[in-house]
């Protein structure tokens, strides 16, 4: 038997990888056959400052030489202390306690468990979890429970508990629901301003602000899943800033280390933290991961935060957005293109004419066409998007947008091939 990688989200029967990566610098992936392709999705939305940024590489190297993983249950160390301080400096309101885990899904799991235990410990019977229709919060069981039920979750239905769904970005619906059922709700988990996996749906800050007010009026908690939106992806450091809200819990991951190492973190407000203080372990948060607060990932995250200041990263995101605005009319004029939209470093549009949805083969055709021209994209079925590292230059970005437009035109006008 040949040893084989089990690739994520992939049907492996007839699978051939798109290439073998042998290097990655800036916004580019270098392949074994000599091709170089622009990383148009920041390697699953994680990369920010470019691949193998020397400052982050140096920080990782220095920390690995000083000391590597140490248990966080009984010890503390400077990288975790300093990272907590720097994150809290950036976080809105009194989100001042940070629990570390390993990825976006675990950051969400921690948020849900903290919310649940908090309600119990203050003596509230609040059995409902609420989420938006179309939500995606990760692939562990708790995260799937609050995510949309679709082909990804179907086999696991029997493992998941109930979740109340509200329409995306609809403050009227949320206000009506919370006025009647708010007292039953433990927490409402939201992807602020951008539902990524659902198809890069852009939300409005005023709706989010009203939803936040309705949730809090009902004494429920708001969990902001900033795993995809955090670290500048929507134009501000956190998407919540644009709505002027302070969630009770904020889950982060992806961009936290600049896209170099896996790290998840969940921040919570002072009041929530205090409810876990007590005379013995029963009121403590009895949850942990072997690699909690890993010093090497913390060092990478600290270097990434430095780069936000040194390289004026948010200005770069604004410049990226400006290029999107300049190119948008050309996309909107293409046949078969609908709903051109952008937010911060994300540009997206829908490809009409096919069966629609995640299994629409048009996305794979667009990916193949773009790759031939040196651009790596990974459409979500009939939703095409571009989300490059923020280090992308204006010339590289213009080229990527021209390529994307040309390849879109090619695939929407070509006769549809057999389903993938
Ligand atoms: C909003 C959101 N939450 C959670 C996750 C899960 O993160 P991870 O893949 O690191 O587990 C994702 C991943 O795409 C996401 O977009």
């Amino acid at each position: 038997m040949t040893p084989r990688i089990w690739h994520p989200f992939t049907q492996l029967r007839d699978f051939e990888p798109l290439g073998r990566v042998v290097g990655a610098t800036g916004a580019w992936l270098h392949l074994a056959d000599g091709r170089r392709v622009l990383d148009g999705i920041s390697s699953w939305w994680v990369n920010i400052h470019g691949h193998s940024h020397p400052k982050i590489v140096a920080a990782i190297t220095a920390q690995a030489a000083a000391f590597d993983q140490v248990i966080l249950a009984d010890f503390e160390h400077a990288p975790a202390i300093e990272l907590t301080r720097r994150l809290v400096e950036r976080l809105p309101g009194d989100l001042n306690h940070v629990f570390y885990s390993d990825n976006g899904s675990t950051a969400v799991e921690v948020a849900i468990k903290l919310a649940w235990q908090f309600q119990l410990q203050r003596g509230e019977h609040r059995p409902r979890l609420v989420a938006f229709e179309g939500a995606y919060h990760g692939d562990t069981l708790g995260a799937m429970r609050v995510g949309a039920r679709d082909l990804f979750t179907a086999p696991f239905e029997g493992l998941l508990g109930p979740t109340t769904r509200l329409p995306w970005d609809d403050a009227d619906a949320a206000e009506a629901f919370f006025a009647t059922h708010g007292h039953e709700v433990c927490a409402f988990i939201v992807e602020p301003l951008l539902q990524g996996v659902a198809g890069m749906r852009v939300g409005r800050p005023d709706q989010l602000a009203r939803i936040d007010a309705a949730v809090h009026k009902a004494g429920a908690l708001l969990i902001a899943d900033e795993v995809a939106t955090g670290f500048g992806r929507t134009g501000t450091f956190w998407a919540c800033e644009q709505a002027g809200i302070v969630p009770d819990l904020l889950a982060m991951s992806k961009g936290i280390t600049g896209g170099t190492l896996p790290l998840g973190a969940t921040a919570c407000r002072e009041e929530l933290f205090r409810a876990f203080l007590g005379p013995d372990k029963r009121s403590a948060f009895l949850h942990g991961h072997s690699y909690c607060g890993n010093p090497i990932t913390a060092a990478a995250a600290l270097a990434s935060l430095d780069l936000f200041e040194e390289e004026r990263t948010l200005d770069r995101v604004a410049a990226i957005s400006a290029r999107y605005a300049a190119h948008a009319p050309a996309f909107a004029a293409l046949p078969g293109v609908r709903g051109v939209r952008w937010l911060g470093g994300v540009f997206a549009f829908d490809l009409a004419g096919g069966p629609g949805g995640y299994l629409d083969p048009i996305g794979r055709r667009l990916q193949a066409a773009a790759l031939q021209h040196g651009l790596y994209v990974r459409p979500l079925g009939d939703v095409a998007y571009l989300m490059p590292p923020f280090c992308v230059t204006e010339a590289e970005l213009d080229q990527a947008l021209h390529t994307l437009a040309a390849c879109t035109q090619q695939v929407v006008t070509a006769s549809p091939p057999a389903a993938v």
Side-chain angles (χ1 to χ4, degrees):
M1 283 297 210
T2 322
R4 207 169 163 197
I5 301 170
W6 196 320
H7 294 261
F9 297 116
T10 303
Q11 171 51 262
L12 293 168
R13 195 185 66 178
D14 301 316
F15 174 71
E16 281 299 328
L18 296 178
R20 180 173 296 188
V21 176
V22 292
T25 46
W28 295 89
L29 307 179
H30 307 275
L31 306 186
D33 59 9
R35 280 178 297 160
R36 64 176 212 144
V37 294
L38 189 112
D39 185 355
I41 66 158
S42 298
S43 284
W44 252 343
W45 321 348
V46 301
N47 198 280
I48 286 181
H49 310 291
H51 289 279
S52 299
H53 192 291
K55 176 155 182 143
I56 305 183
V57 172
I60 291 171
T61 311
Q63 183 54 46
F67 59 92
D68 54 11
Q69 173 63 15
V70 290
I71 179 170
L72 200 68
D74 297 316
F75 293 99
E76 61 178 11
H77 50 72
I81 294 168
E82 182 59 6
L83 179 58
T84 306
R85 190 184 68 74
R86 296 279 299 278
L87 286 173
V88 168
E89 227 170 57
R90 286 276 188 180
L91 283 161
D94 61 344
L95 282 161
N96 54 13
H97 288 81
V98 184
F99 192 98
Y100 292 103
S101 60
D102 310 323
N103 56 63
S105 304
T106 54
V108 166
E109 293 283 335
V110 168
I112 294 169
K113 287 179 70 174
L114 282 174
W116 196 262
Q117 190 175 340
F118 169 73
Q119 299 290 17
L120 285 180
Q121 281 176 194
R122 67 172 182 168
E124 298 255 346
H125 177 65
R126 289 173 170 270
R128 281 202 205 223
L129 290 172
V130 181
F132 279 129
E133 287 164 5
Y136 179 76
H137 297 290
D139 281 346
T140 51
L141 292 176
M144 276 201 293
R145 169 176 172 166
V146 288
R149 300 297 158 83
D150 51 22
L151 84 147
F152 295 88
T153 57
F156 312 110
E157 191 56 46
L159 293 174
L160 309 177
T163 292
T164 301
R165 316 263 156 208
L166 296 180
W168 164 242
D169 200 39
D170 184 340
D172 289 341
E175 283 170 354
F177 173 81
F178 274 91
T180 323
H181 296 288
H183 61 285
E184 302 161 13
V185 175
C186 166
F188 187 2
I189 182 164
V190 302
E191 289 162 272
L193 297 194
L194 183 76
Q195 267 196 327
V197 172
M200 300 301 159
R201 295 184 194 161
V202 177
R204 292 157 295 173
D206 65 307
Q207 298 293 297
L208 182 55
R210 281 175 54 198
I211 290 166
D212 172 70
V215 169
H216 284 125
K217 191 171 166 201
L221 300 177
L222 189 85
I223 302 174
D225 176 353
E226 292 248 18
V227 168
T229 52
F231 302 92
R233 196 55 81 175
T234 66
T236 42
F237 198 84
W238 309 108
C240 284
E241 285 170 44
Q242 293 179 46
I245 62 166
V246 182
D248 300 286
L249 290 142
L250 185 149
M252 64 190 99
S253 184
K254 289 198 187 278
I256 188 169
T257 59
T260 55
L261 289 169
L263 173 63
T266 309
C268 80
R269 299 178 77 164
E270 182 68 27
E271 184 198 352
L272 201 136
F273 173 76
R274 293 203 164 275
F276 287 77
L277 303 177
D280 60 31
K281 277 208 166 183
R282 268 170 292 210
S283 62
F285 185 49
L286 299 181
H287 178 110
H289 301 278
S290 312
Y291 283 93
C292 272
N294 177 265
I296 304 172
T297 60
L302 284 166
S304 174
L305 288 173
D306 287 346
L307 286 172
F308 265 90
E309 284 150 37
E310 290 164 17
E311 298 193 344
R312 305 184 64 83
T313 303
L314 291 180
D315 292 349
R316 288 179 174 216
V317 183
I320 290 171
S321 243
R323 294 319 298 153
Y324 291 160
H327 284 259
F331 280 87
L334 289 174
V337 166
R338 307 271 182 277
V340 177
R341 53 199 179 270
W342 64 96
L343 178 69
V346 183
F347 181 79
F349 54 92
D350 306 323
L351 297 157
Y358 190 80
L359 295 179
D360 192 327
I362 197 163
R364 299 305 300 261
R365 287 159 51 211
L366 179 58
Q367 178 181 63
L371 196 68
Q372 284 191 346
H373 294 90
L375 172 66
Y376 171 58
V377 288
R378 196 170 193 276
L380 297 150
D382 60 341
V383 178
Y385 71 92
L386 198 62
M387 202 194 276
F390 304 148
C391 69
V392 71
T393 65
E394 188 173 316
E396 288 169 341
L397 185 59
D398 282 340
Q399 180 58 48
L401 286 158
H402 284 307
T403 300
L404 190 60
C407 293
T408 300
Q409 178 145 36
Q410 184 186 322
V411 299
V412 293
T413 49
S415 58
V420 285

